[in-house]
Amino acid sequence: MPRGDPAGGMPRATRRCATVLQAVLLQLLQPQPSDAINPGGFPNSITESVRGWRSWNAVMEDVTQEFITRQVDALAVRRPTVDGKTASLLELGFDRVGIDAGWNLCTGVNGSWHDASGHFIIDESRFPDMKAMTAHAHSQGVKMDFYLNQDGLCPEGRIPGASAKSGNPHYVQDAQDAAALGFDGIKFDAGGGNDNMTLWAEAANATGREMLLENCNNGGYVPYG
């Protein structure tokens, strides 16, 4: 399914992530030794590539809660099929909607998107109630995915060495905030500062909420340790 607006037209191609999951995710889904790190919330029930929709190709940074909610509803609505029956995209397996860049504010410490406590700052003019948004999606049977490392849109996204434990120290708070808001998956790419997937896996797993990790590294190499 093209990752454009199911309620609108086909989006133009971009150089952003063209697939929902990279091959590394399939590797992480394999059975793990008992003493291995649980890969950050991968539900054991997922045995094949997931399907859904993400906002970037459709609207880039011009994303809002109202727009995302319309996409959730577009997946869930039943439409006539070629054989005269009705079905929804959700029933066909397209069960995820993802928010990409554009949801945050760069009004934190030193122009970052984190406050003094290390928690991310939501643009409430665009997303007045993210928790209500995810709850609505869940009521429709749709899972909600998020975008966390922000592709360098704020200054902290380009901190050298941010992928190390001594770098940009927001893996834990970001994972906690995403879990508290009810998200079911979190996406990262090579543009942001926090690109260590092992640390994301540890942080996401520690929340106690199952969250799928989407590694969209734009063709670059993302370290795992």
Side-chain angles (χ1 to χ4, degrees):
M1 174 184 177
R3 293 189 305 145
D5 182 352
M10 181 76 69
R12 66 183 180 82
T14 73
R15 296 172 62 185
R16 297 294 292 259
C17 178
T19 60
V20 176
L21 293 176
Q22 297 291 322
V24 64
L25 300 188
L26 297 179
Q27 179 182 358
L28 288 175
L29 287 173
Q30 300 304 311
Q32 302 291 311
S34 59
D35 59 346
I37 297 173
N38 184 304
F42 279 101
N44 293 332
S45 61
I46 294 181
T47 57
E48 59 185 24
S49 296
V50 298
R51 292 178 287 178
W53 177 95
R54 183 172 288 280
S55 62
W56 181 261
N57 285 4
V59 295
M60 303 182 81
E61 294 175 42
D62 189 21
V63 62
T64 66
Q65 180 169 332
E66 186 275 336
F67 179 77
I68 291 294
T69 299
R70 284 198 289 116
Q71 308 317 311
V72 168
D73 293 341
L75 289 189
V77 68
R78 296 176 62 87
R79 299 178 175 87
T81 64
V82 292
D83 59 2
K85 299 179 181 179
T86 59
S88 67
L89 289 170
L90 177 60
E91 290 172 319
L92 297 176
F94 297 92
D95 63 350
R96 309 185 80 96
V97 167
I99 300 172
D100 215 284
W103 59 265
N104 64 308
L105 290 174
C106 300
T107 57
V109 178
N110 297 321
S112 75
W113 53 284
H114 289 90
D115 62 23
S117 298
H119 294 281
F120 55 61
I121 304 171
I122 299 169
D123 184 347
E124 294 184 354
S125 69
R126 291 173 177 259
F127 290 88
D129 193 339
M130 275 193 174
K131 195 167 185 177
M133 177 193 65
T134 60
H136 172 74
H138 295 157
S139 75
Q140 300 296 308
V142 175
K143 297 178 177 65
M144 286 296 308
D145 295 334
F146 207 22
Y147 177 54
L148 282 185
N149 69 341
Q150 288 303 309
D151 203 21
L153 296 178
C154 298
E156 67 183 316
R158 299 292 184 182
I159 295 175
S163 62
K165 288 183 182 294
S166 59
N168 195 6
H170 299 305
Y171 293 92
V172 172
Q173 292 100 322
D174 285 354
Q176 290 174 342
D177 289 352
L181 290 169
F183 284 98
D184 305 292
I186 39 184
K187 173 201 167 185
F188 323 94
D189 58 32
N194 288 356
D195 57 8
N196 186 309
M197 294 303 293
T198 297
L199 297 185
W200 279 123
E202 292 173 348
N205 189 55
T207 68
R209 181 175 180 80
E210 292 184 339
M211 291 188 289
L212 189 76
L213 302 189
E214 181 182 341
N215 177 14
C216 172
N217 59 12
N218 288 334
Y221 171 71
V222 176
Y224 298 97

